[in-house]
Amino acid sequence: MRRRIAAFFESRLPLSDVVNHLKKPLPKHINWLFSLGSMAAFLLILQAVTGAFLALYYSPSPDHAYNSVKYISHEVPFGVFVRGLHHWGSSALVIVVFLHLLRVVLYGSYKAPRELTWMVGVILFLVVLGFGFTGYLLPWDQKAYWATVVGVEIAGTVPLIGDFIAKILRGGAEVGAVTLTRFYTLHTIWLPWLVFVLVGLHLFFVRYYGSAGLPQNRPEEMQGGKPFYPDQLFEDAVAILVLFILLAAAAIFIPVPLEELANPTDASYDPRPEWYFLFLFQLLRYFEGPLEVIGTFVIPTAAIVLLLLLPFLDKRERVPLRKRPVALAVTSLSVLAIVTLTILGGRSPKLETPSEPSIKQSESPSNDANQSEDATPEEDADDTPVFDFN
Amino acid sequence: MTSETHFEQSKRRTFFKSGIAFISGVISLAMAVPLIGAAIAPAFKKGQKKWVDLGLVELLKGARHKKINYTFQAKDGWVQATRERSVYVTDEGGGRFVVFSRVCTHLGCLVRWDEKKRHYHCPCHGGIFDETGNVIAGPPPRPLERPSVKVENGILYVREV
């Protein structure tokens, strides 16, 4: 009976064919750096799954977002763990995708015929950063609010169409309810679909052209290595397990920050973005006045265009890294600059401005949220019935 | 390739396959417990029972199937919500009151008292309950719920969940 059921499915869903495809031999001398792609794929799945469960309790409105996140962290069983995995998973995703990109650059794997694999990969990296940007507004705390205000202002400095883009991002003149709904929709529907399509394309190209292997591989070494399944996948699985253990430990032992409720009138707050945008934050400090657009638009755009066009700018034959001093120098300097700017951004002194006493405006966006949070009268205290005899 | 190395290779690959299955299982389980736990938690959450004030007994004297709407505060996730309820109250004399929940025991629609026919009637699927709340027609599987009531200091209270 069991054999008949197996035969039924095998004839209609030939899994063995799929497994055979996965057995395609890789080039020789594949090292652990080639597990970064699988690790990124795992993290994307982890983010999708934990995000889907967080969405069961999250409410994307300024009146409820903050309290719903607090509810997830303090009252939902395992909520703090799931939120922790999602939070630290997002940081891990940025790191892993960046290292994956770096590995491809240093090995020159972006060269023909893999230009499209590379370009789709670069777009995926930008989408991952987009997930970060849209994701950290969602808790609607001070950091979320102010980092988004600044982030959207940065988009607003794009020449000619900046104001238009900023308004589209915000859904209005200010960061508010429409912005939150937009960012939530982008974060949970638009970007996931985009990632789904782009990862599909990326994997198709990877499978179609095969792994680029090491640049020092001789032509005969480009085949005949270990098969992807089970040899390489086992190594990937071990790397993924280590990553998962680290993330689970972080989720358990490092509390995910949740600052005070967003307060658009609090001038004493010193906005800082998530760590992976600190380099950009720091970069902007060096360009003042009319030069601001260089830091907000010119340099980031140039970097993205250069990255995208890298395979067309560097068309020379693939050789080991030691024979590419310029590439090595440019890459090292870029990474050094990003790391230095990130550290400087993290260390930049915060302004010591004391909180100013303020008169609450009745239409302050935070007012409603405050009210909903404060509206927790003692149980039983408000049991006054409203009678309707008829 | 000798048959021995082929055998060793096969053994190694079997180990790899088992390793992949094991690691996938460990991660899936480590994820499934918290994720499913978080998702199904509301099913295990017990509502807090409390007595809700329905009104002065004096005003309810002689009441026969009198509809009373009332509200009370309850926690709804992260929101302190105002819940609305509706019950039918009957004064049985001697300080005893019978309260029927208006929620039909079939599929949760609100029943109505039909004074002419002297029965409760559910507008959704035609369930009919007699004056004592027992089913006399239609699909409801149980009599109408009778929440606990008490009289204290001249006030009628109903037990809310």
Side-chain angles (χ1 to χ4, degrees):
Chain A
M1 185 64 184
R2 209 175 124 192
R3 209 175 290 168
R4 277 176 63 191
I5 293 172
F8 173 86
F9 280 105
E10 186 55 38
S11 62
R12 286 152 183 86
L13 182 75
L15 279 177
S16 55
D17 276 5
V18 177
V19 173
N20 281 337
H21 271 280
L22 294 174
K23 285 180 180 168
K24 185 179 172 183
L26 298 168
K28 287 184 174 168
H29 317 303
I30 292 284
N31 60 33
W32 75 269
L33 289 176
F34 287 82
S35 293
L36 286 165
S38 295
M39 288 162 82
F42 165 74
L43 284 170
L44 279 173
I45 294 168
L46 182 80
Q47 292 303 94
V49 173
T50 49
F53 278 80
L54 288 173
L56 289 177
Y57 292 102
Y58 175 74
S59 175
S61 97
D63 288 353
H64 294 284
Y66 184 75
N67 286 332
S68 67
V69 173
K70 255 168 94 172
Y71 183 78
I72 290 169
S73 296
H74 301 305
E75 295 194 43
V76 175
F78 305 107
V80 69
F81 179 69
V82 179
R83 185 169 168 238
L85 276 181
H86 196 73
H87 178 86
W88 300 116
S90 71
S91 286
L93 186 58
V94 172
I95 295 171
V96 167
V97 173
F98 182 72
L99 291 177
H100 182 49
L101 180 143
L102 209 56
R103 198 270 296 162
V104 172
V105 171
L106 294 177
Y107 283 178
S109 307
Y110 51 81
K111 298 190 179 195
R114 297 184 179 81
E115 297 95 327
L116 291 177
T117 325
W118 164 260
M119 291 173 89
V120 172
V122 171
I123 297 169
L124 269 169
F125 181 51
L126 298 176
V127 172
V128 164
L129 292 177
F131 267 114
F133 182 59
T134 51
Y136 68 72
L137 174 65
L138 305 186
W140 202 251
D141 61 357
Q142 285 283 67
K143 179 178 189 139
Y145 180 83
W146 288 105
T148 304
V149 167
V150 175
V152 175
E153 286 294 327
I154 289 175
T157 63
V158 174
L160 303 175
I161 53 167
D163 191 44
F164 179 67
I165 292 174
K167 275 185 183 157
I168 291 175
L169 278 173
R170 282 192 297 250
E174 285 178 26
V175 171
V178 182
T179 323
L180 184 54
T181 317
R182 269 173 187 238
F183 275 45
Y184 179 69
T185 309
L186 285 172
H187 191 77
T188 59
I189 299 173
W190 291 36
L191 292 180
W193 275 111
L194 192 57
V195 157
F196 186 73
V197 172
L198 291 174
V199 168
L201 262 178
H202 196 66
L203 290 179
F204 170 79
F205 288 134
V206 169
R207 178 65 184 79
Y208 189 79
Y209 292 110
S211 169
L214 296 178
Q216 51 266 49
N217 275 6
R218 293 188 298 274
E220 65 271 21
E221 289 178 320
M222 288 305 288
Q223 282 182 349
K226 60 191 174 187
F228 176 74
Y229 178 81
D231 299 43
Q232 178 63 31
L233 195 58
F234 175 70
E235 287 180 26
D236 292 358
V238 173
I240 286 167
L241 182 63
V242 172
L243 180 66
F244 179 73
I245 290 170
L246 289 175
L247 282 177
I252 293 168
F253 298 113
I254 312 174
V256 179
L258 183 66
E259 298 184 359
E260 294 291 305
L261 177 72
N263 181 358
T265 62
D266 185 1
S268 69
Y269 186 76
D270 242 343
R272 289 288 180 281
E274 204 54 67
W275 69 265
Y276 40 82
F277 288 124
L278 275 175
F279 75 97
L280 191 58
F281 166 83
Q282 185 64 20
L283 185 68
L284 302 187
R285 297 185 155 216
Y286 304 124
F287 298 97
E288 291 175 357
L291 296 179
E292 188 195 31
V293 71
I294 297 176
T296 55
F297 176 69
V298 177
I299 293 178
T301 309
I304 292 168
V305 171
L306 275 178
L307 267 183
L308 278 171
L309 298 182
L310 188 59
F312 307 102
L313 299 170
D314 174 19
K315 287 178 138 180
R316 283 168 303 166
E317 206 180 323
R318 219 172 144 221
V319 288
L321 191 58
R322 61 178 185 279
K323 294 181 183 169
R324 297 167 64 208
V326 177
L328 183 61
V330 170
T331 311
S332 307
L333 283 175
S334 307
V335 173
L336 192 69
I338 290 172
V339 172
T340 311
L341 286 172
T342 303
I343 293 170
L344 288 176
R347 284 184 178 175
S348 63
K350 294 194 171 188
L351 293 173
E352 296 288 327
T353 319
S355 266
E356 300 163 17
S358 60
I359 300 164
K360 273 197 174 175
Q361 297 295 313
S362 60
E363 285 183 9
S364 151
S366 70
N367 224 19
D368 289 345
N370 271 328
Q371 278 170 5
S372 67
E373 194 196 359
D374 295 343
T376 49
E378 286 290 307
E379 293 274 324
D380 292 336
D382 237 350
D383 284 344
T384 322
V386 176
F387 294 105
D388 174 14
F389 293 95
N390 58 20
Chain B
M1 192 178 282
T2 65
S3 63
E4 194 184 10
T5 57
H6 190 82
F7 175 71
E8 279 174 359
Q9 194 181 57
S10 157
K11 241 171 78 176
R12 199 173 70 240
R13 298 225 157 112
T14 307
F15 169 76
F16 287 158
K17 286 177 191 171
S18 311
I20 293 167
F22 176 74
I23 290 171
S24 311
V26 166
I27 294 177
S28 303
L29 198 68
M31 290 298 297
V33 172
L35 290 177
I36 295 172
I40 66 172
F44 298 99
K45 203 165 187 179
K46 284 184 183 162
Q48 202 183 4
K49 287 183 177 178
K50 56 185 176 184
W51 291 104
V52 182
D53 177 346
L54 272 188
L56 289 170
V57 166
E58 222 166 87
L59 294 172
L60 293 165
K61 257 192 183 142
R64 306 298 298 168
H65 313 287
K66 185 178 280 291
K67 190 177 89 182
I68 298 182
N69 294 341
Y70 61 96
T71 61
F72 62 100
Q73 296 293 310
K75 204 160 178 278
D76 179 8
W78 53 90
V79 179
Q80 195 63 24
T82 301
R83 298 251 192 242
E84 292 182 39
R85 290 276 194 282
S86 187
V87 287
Y88 280 106
V89 177
T90 296
D91 179 9
E92 293 209 314
R96 288 187 303 121
F97 289 88
V98 173
V99 173
F100 287 121
S101 160
R102 285 191 67 196
V103 178
C104 178
T105 54
H106 180 217
L107 292 172
C109 298
L110 292 187
V111 298
R112 299 168 189 169
W113 172 250
D114 188 329
E115 187 61 41
K116 271 188 199 159
K117 294 177 181 165
R118 313 269 328 146
H119 66 218
Y120 292 102
H121 160 245
C122 178
C124 289
H125 305 96
I128 297 175
F129 304 83
D130 67 13
E131 286 188 70
T132 60
N134 289 321
V135 183
I136 49 176
R142 294 185 309 280
L144 287 173
E145 294 289 336
R146 291 171 63 158
S148 306
V149 289
K150 69 174 182 182
V151 175
E152 252 179 37
N153 303 325
I155 294 170
L156 178 65
Y157 291 90
V158 67
R159 188 89 158 143
E160 257 310 335
V161 180

